[in-house]
Amino acid sequence: MNLSELGGFLRSRRDRIRPADVGLPTGPRRRVPGLRREEVAQLAGVSVDYYIELERGAGVQPSEQMLAALARALRLSRDERDYLFALAGRPLPPSGSPADHVHPGMLDLMHRLGDTPAQVVTDLRVMLVQNPAARALLGPPPSTTGWTASFLYRWFTDPEARALYPPEDHAEHTRSFVADLRAASARRGSDPDVRSMVTALSARSPEFSEHWAQHDVSFRRHDRKRLIHPELGLLEVNCLNLFSEDGRQRLLWFTPAVGTDSVAKLELLTVLGTQIFDQQKS
């Protein structure tokens, strides 16, 4: 662990980024060539004082989740992300975990979508990062980590996960999720996360076992979905995908279906924010 070097590395990465690169206003009278400390703290979701201590090399050892948030805020490449973890004395997070590396270009596109709900997920349906509009539409991510945080896993093990979709659509989503998982299984080969997920689901869900035994395979590229929002009610949206080169990550974004009242409803998302989901959890 080298906190002094870590602080210097954070400063060097902060200096190279313009506010416009990460969707922040430039503003007048900027005294630094790149981002301000408070802007990095905002992007990473940490307090300004905590981030200042990190740059000074005097802070406590940051967690895996904190390092991942900083890597995304500073748009680090995979090599730079790995170096950041090494300086902090932390092992690299497993591929596909919530702290996994997200390509900077994918992050930039997500933030440039503005008020359009968008998020980056793995091919096992673990949510890596989402913009405020996606959080308002879909709710916050679960508190669990690893492949148990997968929406696909929760679909078969947590009845509350299915409340996002109308009951009459559940059968089609079940078929699609299992077929997409089989495509991911083939792509990942002997990946332990896939084996563990399939084993756990086979033991816990007869419904999953039945569909898995059918050997259907389909790479889920786009959908027209119906979602149930706790305040806005039924929404009809187009779910579009952009895939990483290895197929293990995908940027999802949601647009209202033309000719439906979902256009007006989605415009209310920025007003509602996550207050409805927060009230449900309190």
Side-chain angles (χ1 to χ4, degrees), residues 136-157:
L137 175 64
L138 306 171
S143 57
T144 54
T145 60
W147 54 264
T148 59
S150 161
F151 183 77
L152 188 155
Y153 178 78
R154 291 183 291 119
W155 178 262
F156 292 101
T157 59

Side-chain angles (χ1 to χ4, degrees), residues 123-124 152 174-189 194 197-198 201-202 208-220 250:
D123 56 348
L124 299 185
L152 188 155
T174 294
R175 184 205 63 77
S176 182
F177 282 142
V178 176
D180 193 57
L181 177 59
R182 189 168 284 280
S185 175
R187 185 168 52 252
R188 288 179 174 235
V194 175
M197 180 183 288
V198 171
L201 287 176
S202 298
F208 173 83
S209 296
E210 177 184 351
H211 282 79
W212 187 253
Q214 295 174 12
H215 292 270
D216 291 337
V217 57
S218 176
F219 196 39
R220 201 169 189 177
R250 59 188 75 175

Side-chain angles (χ1 to χ4, degrees), residues 105-161:
M106 198 170 280
L107 283 172
D108 286 338
L109 180 54
M110 185 191 76
H111 287 290
R112 290 178 188 279
L113 288 171
D115 292 335
T116 298
Q119 60 183 17
V120 179
V121 303
T122 72
D123 56 348
L124 299 185
R125 299 285 167 168
V126 176
M127 202 281 293
L128 300 177
V129 62
Q130 61 184 169
N131 66 10
R135 190 180 179 92
L137 175 64
L138 306 171
S143 57
T144 54
T145 60
W147 54 264
T148 59
S150 161
F151 183 77
L152 188 155
Y153 178 78
R154 291 183 291 119
W155 178 262
F156 292 101
T157 59
D158 181 3
E160 290 186 6

Side-chain angles (χ1 to χ4, degrees), residues 13 54 82 115 210 249:
R13 300 305 90 182
L54 283 179
D82 294 354
D115 292 335
E210 177 184 351
Q249 293 182 5

Side-chain angles (χ1 to χ4, degrees), residues 209-263:
S209 296
E210 177 184 351
H211 282 79
W212 187 253
Q214 295 174 12
H215 292 270
D216 291 337
V217 57
S218 176
F219 196 39
R220 201 169 189 177
R221 292 179 172 84
H222 56 80
D223 279 310
R224 178 160 172 168
K225 296 182 177 181
R226 299 194 302 163
L227 305 176
I228 299 177
H229 189 275
E231 181 68 17
L232 300 177
L234 186 67
L235 297 164
E236 295 186 60
V237 298
N238 298 307
C239 180
L240 305 166
N241 297 261
L242 175 67
F243 298 92
S244 61
E245 291 184 2
D246 61 5
R248 292 197 174 198
Q249 293 182 5
R250 59 188 75 175
L251 171 64
L252 306 178
W253 69 97
F254 302 84
T255 61
V258 176
T260 70
D261 63 356
S262 297
V263 177

Side-chain angles (χ1 to χ4, degrees), residues 15-37:
D15 288 345
R16 71 175 181 171
I17 301 178
R18 299 172 303 172
D21 294 336
V22 291
L24 294 175
T26 301
R29 300 179 181 177
R30 297 187 67 88
R31 298 179 179 178
V32 295
L35 296 179
R36 299 186 177 103
R37 291 184 178 90

